[in-house]
Amino acid sequence: MARLFASASDPGAVKIDLAGSFETHRFDAMPTEAWTNKEELTHYFKQMYQGRRMEILCDTNYKAKKIRGFCHLYDGQEATATGVNAAFTKEDCWITSYRCHYVALIRGGSVEGVLGELFGNHGGLTKGKGGSMHFYNKENNFYGGQGIVGAQVPCGAGLAFACKYNAPPGGPMNVAAAFFGDGAANQGQIWEAANMASLWKLPLVLCIENNQYGMGTSTERSSSNNTYFTMGNKIPGMKMDGNNVLAVREGMKMVKEYCGAGNGPMYVEFDTYRYHGHSMSDPGTVYRSRDEVTAQRKSRDPIDSVKTLLLEHEFYTEKELKEIEKEVKKGVDASAKIALAMTPPPPTELYADIYTDGKGGSEPPPFIRMPDCMQSIGAHPFVA
């Protein structure tokens, strides 16, 4: 089902100039403007601010040792996922890397579900078994969170194959987006998946979130070709301002139409920036300066850009936006308390979802060896 967007004929709609937001490779068209209104901009503002507050809470709770293991935060990149989600429907497939908290939130999740998962509790989005890198929501065609760098792209090609296979004859196809970072962009498995998608005309969007650093290595030092949207050779590409939610939305609407019409895959590069280090173990100040991060915050913050539009078009006053921020923060804080109060998964979750019962459910393995052998479950296969 196609989404409805503000148009020039809508009362209260405003036109936003998108000049300079795009570059293309073997693809002539690019958006020049976006129509939007108070309702859309308010939704994007609240959604991105909610995600930002959630990730800040992740930082706080990680430092308090309430979140363990790997933890990769998305603050600074919110406009990319928000714009893509606005252009997509729930029928389109989405698979991404381990920097996936915010995507899990906007693809049908909740703050308490995301945080509950990070706290290792049973009320988390994957029952406390996946953690930071392995969110999943099949109902909304969100297929994770992948812990292995680049491994999601061949899986994304498989999702694109399914989109084509299941499409009605002669009709438009849903598309599959495989997100990866600039640090993964030179992997062989990505080119193999792209080549296969091109040969089979699969509706695959290869989405590079270029946040300027692969771990601690800048794109200039890691890539002989760091114009990533051109890496597909014969496959067309588009680069867009990944910190402008309207640019991403309009660009991805065009990309979705192209790929869904049976033209094959497309490379898309989102020019964005992450505020935190690569992960919580990375302070993010060894390979870049604090001044650089501050300059990005002041000039290209994705939330501030929407805030500016809301003020320029007199949809809100500064005071009213502050009140919205307070309400969103209050809601995120309340969700965090709910998540912390959740209980850990019961021991039965250790062996759930391993063997299928053939009816869409799971059945336990015949024997599970516990640390104390006398507490093992089922009959020991080597004991009469």
Side-chain angles (χ1 to χ4, degrees), residues 81-99:
T82 305
V84 173
N85 196 50
F88 276 19
T89 69
K90 289 182 180 179
E91 286 72 38
D92 295 308
C93 299
W94 191 325
I95 191 167
T96 188
S97 70
Y98 39 71
R99 199 179 303 279

Side-chain angles (χ1 to χ4, degrees), residues 179-203:
F179 278 72
F180 54 101
D182 49 277
N186 294 298
Q187 287 199 358
Q189 63 180 329
I190 293 174
W191 170 243
E192 290 178 39
N195 181 57
M196 190 175 293
S198 182
L199 287 171
W200 292 351
K201 299 294 183 185
L202 302 183

Side-chain angles (χ1 to χ4, degrees), residues 101-334:
H101 305 165
Y102 183 64
V103 183
L105 175 66
I106 64 175
R107 288 301 278 186
S110 64
V111 174
E112 56 263 35
V114 172
L115 293 178
E117 187 62 34
L118 291 168
F119 295 145
N121 288 332
H122 197 219
L125 288 181
T126 51
K127 301 181 181 179
K129 298 194 289 184
S132 175
M133 300 194 289
H134 301 289
F135 286 95
Y136 179 83
N137 189 330
K138 185 178 180 181
E139 182 182 352
N140 292 283
N141 285 299
F142 174 54
Y143 295 93
Q146 298 283 311
I148 305 300
V149 175
Q152 66 273 19
V153 181
C155 295
L159 291 170
F161 183 91
C163 288
K164 182 174 183 178
Y165 187 84
N166 292 320
M173 295 179 279
N174 295 316
V175 303
F179 278 72
F180 54 101
D182 49 277
N186 294 298
Q187 287 199 358
Q189 63 180 329
I190 293 174
W191 170 243
E192 290 178 39
N195 181 57
M196 190 175 293
S198 182
L199 287 171
W200 292 351
K201 299 294 183 185
L202 302 183
L204 175 66
V205 188
L206 296 117
C207 298
I208 304 105
E209 291 188 275
N210 180 4
N211 60 23
Q212 314 309 318
Y213 297 93
M215 296 187 73
T217 306
S218 67
T219 58
E220 290 79 8
R221 294 178 59 218
S222 67
S223 301
S224 62
N225 175 10
N226 61 5
T227 52
Y228 296 106
F229 68 105
T230 69
M231 291 183 78
N233 297 328
K234 290 186 177 181
I235 300 172
M238 181 183 291
K239 180 180 180 179
M240 53 188 76
D241 182 353
N243 281 17
N244 182 331
V245 66
L246 294 176
V248 174
R249 186 190 76 182
E250 296 304 306
M252 287 303 289
K253 283 163 61 178
M254 191 171 284
V255 170
K256 173 178 160 69
E257 182 179 4
Y258 173 86
C259 295
N263 295 303
M266 193 164 177
Y267 271 76
V268 175
E269 177 184 351
F270 302 101
D271 181 16
T272 184
Y273 196 85
R274 59 169 163 80
Y275 294 153
H276 269 83
H278 171 73
S279 70
M280 285 300 298
S281 61
D282 168 22
T285 54
V286 176
Y287 48 87
R288 60 183 185 178
S289 67
R290 294 185 187 276
D291 289 343
E292 178 185 310
V293 179
T294 300
Q296 287 284 335
R297 284 183 181 274
K298 289 182 176 179
S299 63
R300 297 191 65 220
D301 186 82
I303 299 175
D304 282 350
S305 69
V306 176
K307 191 175 183 178
T308 298
L309 290 175
L310 289 167
L311 291 170
E312 284 181 348
H313 295 283
E314 299 182 347
F315 291 141
Y316 293 102
T317 64
E318 284 271 12
K319 183 179 179 181
E320 288 169 333
L321 287 176
K322 284 290 184 186
E323 288 302 313
I324 291 175
E325 289 175 352
K326 286 180 183 178
E327 284 301 308
V328 172
K329 182 179 182 297
K330 182 179 177 182
V332 172
D333 290 345

Side-chain angles (χ1 to χ4, degrees), residues 20-96:
S21 297
F22 302 93
E23 295 179 54
T24 59
H25 167 70
R26 301 179 67 93
F27 192 77
D28 294 331
M30 69 177 74
T32 58
E33 62 187 33
W35 285 91
T36 190
N37 56 28
K38 179 180 180 179
E39 181 183 5
E40 283 183 350
L41 290 174
T42 302
H43 173 68
Y44 301 150
F45 178 70
K46 287 182 176 179
Q47 191 172 62
M48 290 193 288
Y49 191 72
Q50 181 188 50
R52 178 76 59 86
R53 294 302 310 176
M54 182 183 74
E55 293 289 61
I56 290 172
L57 274 182
C58 289
D59 174 282
T60 303
N61 282 283
Y62 192 93
K63 290 171 180 174
K65 298 184 178 180
K66 293 177 183 176
I67 296 173
R68 304 281 185 155
F70 295 107
C71 187
H72 306 80
L73 304 183
Y74 199 72
D75 51 320
Q77 301 181 212
E78 296 92 349
T80 293
T82 305
V84 173
N85 196 50
F88 276 19
T89 69
K90 289 182 180 179
E91 286 72 38
D92 295 308
C93 299
W94 191 325
I95 191 167
T96 188

